[in-house]
């Protein structure tokens, strides 16, 4: 089979794969409810597509970046394999299924990223395929929204939270994952909508966006809600600035600018009007109330205890207390940070799990610090991830592992800063800003709430956003070189 046919086949498979993502998640939900099976249709299909992506990377393309992607993946595989083999002998408890499952989930994102990048860098009509992919993402988001509406109306929806908070997650297992998917995908759906709406008769293209916005406030999670709100505000402000600049310079090439400015304003207003009646607003208000209560409870005007201890050496010896006092203060500061009630509310107690795994890391040997401690660290009784992706990946795969995993992000950041100085107008175009927002939401959620970089159902969308921005920047960079 020729490289051209391989590329066209993989492109079609990718579009189908994107569209069926929510269907796979729904089937997974019902299979787990009915059979409580660990092996689901979602896992099978995603593993098969990962295998197809690897085949495309090694044999199905002729991209100029092929050797770089393959070298990167081989280096990553080598580091993760060394860590896996060492932990087989070093960890107190080594569960092969959990270790291999977590490793497979982790490599899913780099493999998808590499496959999409090679696909986009071998395309002749990149813009057309970009729009097809964003259309496929829009269809997938509509499937999520419609299925959730049906689940709520029929009374078959599962609840996002088990206690204290309120929200619906429809026929999906994880409210956090759906919230992350919405956050990453919404800016891309916005781009597709803005490109399609070129007159008033096509305002119906905003319907998918309205559906996604409704899901974000019905879900009850902060992630999806603030992503939709943030994107809506930034798009309106960006187009407003763009419009003002065009008025001053009177030389804009942007067509339908007024329509896009007004439609983005209307959408933002409608979203703000609907927000106070949503589960998310109630949950966020509850969190704010809890934080205020905890802040008031921890405020103690009596500082006598602190003053009495000033200048004392913790060893009991007399002295000026500079070194001992500093060490004691640092230890107390770390303890206060870990046990902070406010931080517990904001991070849902992830700071406690961080302290637990960090303690294991401090006691680990040099090899484990370099190649990682594997899934959940050197646990003996409590087996728990932090659920903050970058920390989980650092402790699981060590210094070398996290550096390799972060390499794509560092490359994008460096290229973006370089082009920002050379062509700020193009880099900060509203539609480029939307792609940046999608990546920013994905990485921000990965850092604070987890379930992105090692969640295949979510990481596929982040990989698409990164490749969309990277190919944009590569085309711009080539154009600037030729100019």
């Amino acid at each position: 089979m020729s490289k051209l046919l391989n590329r066209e086949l993989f492109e079609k498979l990718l579009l189908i794969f994107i569209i069926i993502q929510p269907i796979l998640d729904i089937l997974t939900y019902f299979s787990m409810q009915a059979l409580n099976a660990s092996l689901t249709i979602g896992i099978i299909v995603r593993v098969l597509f990962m295998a197809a992506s690897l085949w495309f990377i090694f044999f199905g393309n002729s991209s100029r970046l092929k050797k770089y992607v393959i070298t990167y993946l081989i280096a990553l595989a080598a580091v993760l394999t060394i860590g896996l083999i060492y932990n087989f002998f070093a960890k107190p408890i080594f569960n092969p299924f959990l270790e291999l499952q977590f490793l497979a989930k982790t490599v899913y994102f780099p493999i998808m990223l590499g496959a999409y990048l090679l696909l986009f860098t071998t395309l002749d009509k990149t813009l057309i395929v970009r729009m097809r992919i964003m259309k496929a993402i829009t269809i997938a988001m509509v499937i999520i929204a419609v299925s959730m509406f049906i689940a709520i109306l029929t009374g078959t929806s599962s609840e996002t939270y088990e206690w204290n908070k309120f929200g619906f997650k429809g026929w999906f297992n994880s409210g956090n994952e759906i919230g992350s998917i919405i956050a990453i995908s919404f800016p891309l759906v916005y781009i597709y909508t803005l490109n399609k709406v070129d007159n008033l008769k096509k305002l119906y293209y905003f319907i998918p966006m309205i559906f996604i916005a409704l899901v974000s406030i019905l879900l009850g999670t902060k992630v999806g809600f603030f992503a939709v709100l943030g994107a809506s505000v930034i798009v309106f402000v960006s187009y407003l600035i763009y419009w003002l600049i065009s008025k001053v310079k009177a030389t804009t090439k942007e067509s339908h600018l007024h329509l896009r400015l007004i439609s983005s304003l209307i959408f933002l207003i409608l979203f703000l009007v609907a927000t106070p009646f949503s589960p998310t607003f109630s949950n966020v208000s509850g969190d704010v109330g809890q934080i205020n209560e905890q802040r008031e409870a921890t405020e103690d005007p009596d500082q006598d205890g602190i003053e009495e201890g000033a200048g004392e050496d913790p060893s009991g010896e007399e002295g000026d207390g500079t070194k001992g006092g500093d060490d004691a203060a640092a230890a107390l500061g770390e303890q206060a940070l870990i046990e902070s009630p406010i931080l517990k509310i904001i991070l849902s107690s992830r700071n406690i799990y961080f302290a637990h795994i960090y303690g294991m890391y401090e006691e680990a040997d040099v090899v484990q610090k370099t190649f990682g401690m594997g899934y959940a660290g050197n646990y003996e009784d409590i087996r728990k991830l932090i659920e903050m992706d970058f920390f989980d990946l650092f402790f699981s795969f060590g210094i070398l592992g996290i550096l390799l995993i972060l390499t794509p992000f560092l490359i994008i950041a460096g290229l973006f800063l370089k082009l920002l100085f050379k062509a700020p107008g193009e880099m900060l175009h509203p539609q480029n800003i939307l792609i940046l927002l999608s990546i920013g939401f994905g990485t921000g959620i990965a850092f604070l709430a987890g379930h992105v970089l090692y969640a295949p159902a979510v990481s596929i969308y982040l990989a698409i956003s990164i490749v969309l921005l990277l190919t944009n920047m590569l085309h711009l960079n080539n154009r600037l070189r030729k100019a």
Side-chain angles (χ1 to χ4, degrees), residues 438-455:
S438 177
I439 297 170
F441 290 150
T443 52
I445 295 164
F447 182 78
L448 291 173
H451 301 285
V452 175
L453 296 181
Y454 52 79

Side-chain angles (χ1 to χ4, degrees), residues 158-162 166-170 174-176 218-221:
S158 54
E159 294 184 359
T160 306
Y161 299 98
E162 294 181 3
F166 176 52
F168 304 96
K169 59 179 179 178
S174 173
N176 285 334
L218 289 171
L219 191 61
T221 64

Side-chain angles (χ1 to χ4, degrees), residues 414-425 427-428 473 476:
L415 186 56
F416 176 79
L417 290 173
K418 172 187 172 182
L419 294 174
L420 186 62
F421 288 104
K422 289 186 175 181
M427 289 308 300
L428 297 178
M473 293 192 296
L476 176 59

Side-chain angles (χ1 to χ4, degrees), residues 53-326:
S53 299
L54 280 171
W55 186 88
F56 177 76
I57 289 170
F58 282 91
F59 309 109
N61 75 93
S62 56
S63 171
R64 66 186 186 280
L65 300 177
K66 179 177 179 177
K67 61 181 179 181
Y68 300 108
V69 171
I70 291 176
T71 302
Y72 168 72
L73 291 178
I74 290 174
L76 180 62
V79 169
L80 299 188
T81 302
I82 291 170
L84 182 70
I85 294 171
Y86 185 80
N87 284 321
F88 176 79
F89 299 100
K91 289 186 70 165
I93 298 174
F94 185 90
N95 186 316
F97 175 77
L98 291 176
E99 299 287 344
L100 290 171
Q101 183 187 52
F102 186 68
L103 191 147
K105 287 180 177 180
T106 300
V107 299
Y108 199 88
F109 172 70
I111 290 171
M112 294 299 105
L113 188 62
Y116 303 159
L117 179 60
L118 296 181
L119 174 65
F120 271 76
T121 51
T122 55
L123 291 172
D124 299 322
K125 299 178 180 179
T126 308
L127 183 60
I128 295 173
V129 178
R130 285 162 61 89
M131 289 303 294
R132 286 177 185 165
I133 287 178
M134 284 188 273
K135 181 180 180 180
I137 291 174
T138 302
I139 293 170
M141 294 305 103
V142 170
I143 293 172
I144 289 176
V146 171
S147 69
M148 184 171 288
F149 297 154
I150 294 172
I152 292 171
L153 291 173
T154 57
T156 57
S157 172
S158 54
E159 294 184 359
T160 306
Y161 299 98
E162 294 181 3
W163 58 82
N164 294 335
K165 295 183 180 181
F166 176 52
F168 304 96
K169 59 179 179 178
W171 298 322
F172 299 95
N173 280 314
S174 173
N176 285 334
E177 285 193 3
I178 295 299
S180 300
I181 289 169
I182 289 170
I184 297 167
S185 301
F186 179 76
L188 303 182
V189 176
Y190 213 148
I191 293 173
Y192 178 75
T193 302
L194 291 171
N195 281 317
K196 286 294 183 180
V197 177
D198 54 12
N199 59 65
L200 291 173
K201 292 181 180 179
K202 292 187 177 180
L203 285 175
Y204 60 84
Y205 277 103
F206 271 91
I207 292 174
M209 284 181 54
I210 294 171
F211 281 179
I212 299 170
L214 288 173
V215 170
S216 74
I217 60 179
L218 289 171
L219 191 61
T221 64
K222 297 184 285 291
V223 165
F225 168 76
F226 282 115
V228 173
L229 177 61
S232 302
V233 171
I234 290 171
V235 167
F236 168 67
V237 172
S238 299
Y239 270 111
L240 180 61
I241 294 170
Y242 206 68
W243 177 74
L244 291 172
I245 292 172
S246 71
K247 283 293 182 183
V248 173
K249 293 186 175 181
T251 56
T252 181
K253 296 179 181 179
E254 180 83 20
S255 59
H256 319 297
L257 183 56
H258 289 84
L259 181 59
R260 289 172 178 175
L261 176 62
I262 294 169
S263 59
S264 63
L265 174 61
I266 293 172
F267 180 82
L268 174 60
I269 292 171
L270 290 175
F271 184 72
L272 291 174
V273 168
T275 294
F277 307 98
S278 68
T280 301
F281 183 81
S282 175
N283 294 340
V284 171
S285 299
D287 282 345
V288 172
Q290 275 189 289
I291 290 171
N292 289 334
E293 288 176 9
Q294 292 290 351
R295 184 182 291 116
E296 291 173 3
T298 53
E299 285 179 355
D300 185 5
D302 185 9
Q303 300 295 322
D304 291 343
I306 296 177
E307 291 175 2
E308 287 173 6
E312 294 180 3
D313 192 296
S315 64
E317 299 176 5
E318 293 182 2
D320 63 2
T322 51
K323 185 178 184 303
D326 288 347

